[in-house]
Amino acid sequence: MRRPTIARRGIAATALALTLGLTLAACSGDSEDDASPTPSATSTADPAAEADEAAVAAITVTGDPGAEPVVTLPTTPFEVSTTVVKVLTPGTGETIEDGQQLTIQSVVVSGVDGSVAASTYTTTPDIVILDADLGDLHDTLVGEKVGARFVRTVPPQSADDPTSYVQVGEIVAATTIPSRASGTPVTPPAGLPTVTLDSDGKPTVAAATGAAPTTLVVQPLITGTGAPVTAEQTLTVNYDLSLWDGTAVTSTWDDGKPAQFALSSTIPGWQEGLVGQPVGSQVLLVVPPDKGYGAKASDTIPANSTLVYVVDILAAS
């Protein structure tokens, strides 16, 4: 799917970004000062998996809830060949539900020497949607409680990087995200693409006539009641993208799940057009080439295209 990004979060920018880029899975909780993961009671016929379970059980995690934990590996180099996910200590907050947006603080250590490879505690927490795409992380966290701390391993992903990693994370918050914009409808002026919504809020965009505008058009279609979006936030959105001539490009409604972007990583048309819009809004953006992908073709988008986005701002954090 064509995303409105110029550059996504770097794979080593945050702890979860690092491990998401490898293969995601997880586990939860630690409110004690010293905790070690408990191996799963489920036996396995795979000797490698059994060995990895035992290795994870020997990891020690210390530190108070809310603070960056100290992860001590039983030996270095620490190597695993499978992904293992374990609960350290359950949380005490609200129950985590499928499809919620999670705020996660985590630290990742390298199996080579136990050093910290990445940490959100020195940057900003990661924001993810808890759905089936997260694999074992999803399966483990659904039904846990906010405040849970988890440990998981990530085996080497290629011969070029034979490193195993260990992640310890804490679920800071779990928020139920609406599926569509809601608020006060706004009647747009004539001459813009026409947007109609089905019963689920999915937009259909009919092309406008005439020449495409040469400057960015920002037209609210629904004004939400949330806080205004700021430039440094990560947005959770549903969006539809088409070209000025009406050619459909992509839609998160077709994916069946919203998308998430650090607003600062998106095309200029998004950065300029969405800052200040209230969360909950639906915004029509008509993005000229110099605010989009410019003179270069991008996937199915021809060079020098004027882009038409319909964006539902579902959350910002």
Side-chain angles (χ1 to χ4, degrees), residues 146-157:
V146 171
R149 186 178 279 180
F150 63 85
V151 62
R152 74 182 185 91
T153 61
V154 180
Q157 298 298 297

Side-chain angles (χ1 to χ4, degrees), residues 141-312:
L141 292 183
V142 170
E144 291 291 334
K145 295 182 182 296
V146 171
R149 186 178 279 180
F150 63 85
V151 62
R152 74 182 185 91
T153 61
V154 180
Q157 298 298 297
S158 71
D160 294 332
D161 183 10
T163 305
S164 297
Y165 293 94
V166 174
Q167 179 192 23
V168 174
E170 182 177 339
I171 309 304
V172 177
T175 306
T176 299
I177 302 299
S179 61
R180 60 187 295 179
S182 63
T184 303
V186 178
T187 301
L192 294 177
T194 302
V195 179
T196 57
L197 306 179
D198 69 10
S199 59
D200 295 323
K202 178 181 178 179
T204 298
V205 181
T209 58
T214 58
T215 59
L216 177 67
V217 175
V218 181
Q219 177 58 54
L221 302 176
I222 298 172
T223 301
T225 59
V229 169
T230 59
E232 72 279 2
Q233 288 183 309
T234 293
L235 303 187
T236 302
V237 300
N238 269 322
Y239 74 92
D240 179 274
L241 169 59
S242 59
L243 305 182
W244 178 255
D245 65 6
T247 301
V249 177
T250 190
S251 174
T252 60
W253 277 275
D254 293 335
D255 283 356
K257 60 175 290 186
Q260 292 180 309
F261 305 107
L263 186 56
S264 61
S265 75
T266 61
I267 59 174
W270 273 51
Q271 295 182 49
E272 296 176 24
L274 297 184
V275 167
Q277 300 295 331
V279 172
S281 297
Q282 182 179 82
V283 183
L284 173 68
L285 299 175
V286 181
V287 181
D290 66 321
K291 302 292 185 182
Y293 297 102
K296 280 190 173 183
S298 179
D299 292 347
T300 58
I301 300 174
N304 296 308
S305 289
T306 296
L307 310 175
V308 178
Y309 286 99
V310 178
V311 184
D312 281 20

Side-chain angles (χ1 to χ4, degrees), residues 57-174:
I59 296 171
T60 300
V61 179
T62 59
D64 294 330
E68 181 173 328
V70 176
V71 182
T72 303
L73 303 179
T75 60
T76 55
F78 180 87
E79 298 176 347
V80 292
S81 59
T82 62
T83 297
V84 179
V85 296
K86 297 297 167 196
V87 171
L88 289 170
T89 305
T92 58
E94 296 294 323
T95 299
I96 298 169
E97 299 177 4
D98 180 44
Q100 286 187 312
Q101 177 174 280
L102 302 186
T103 303
I104 301 176
Q105 292 276 30
S106 65
V107 62
V108 174
V109 300
S110 168
V112 174
D113 57 7
S115 62
V116 174
S119 174
T120 65
Y121 290 90
T122 56
T123 55
T124 56
D126 278 300
I127 308 295
V128 298
I129 297 294
L130 185 62
D131 61 18
D133 286 350
L134 299 186
D136 290 345
L137 179 62
H138 167 269
D139 297 342
T140 301
L141 292 183
V142 170
E144 291 291 334
K145 295 182 182 296
V146 171
R149 186 178 279 180
F150 63 85
V151 62
R152 74 182 185 91
T153 61
V154 180
Q157 298 298 297
S158 71
D160 294 332
D161 183 10
T163 305
S164 297
Y165 293 94
V166 174
Q167 179 192 23
V168 174
E170 182 177 339
I171 309 304
V172 177

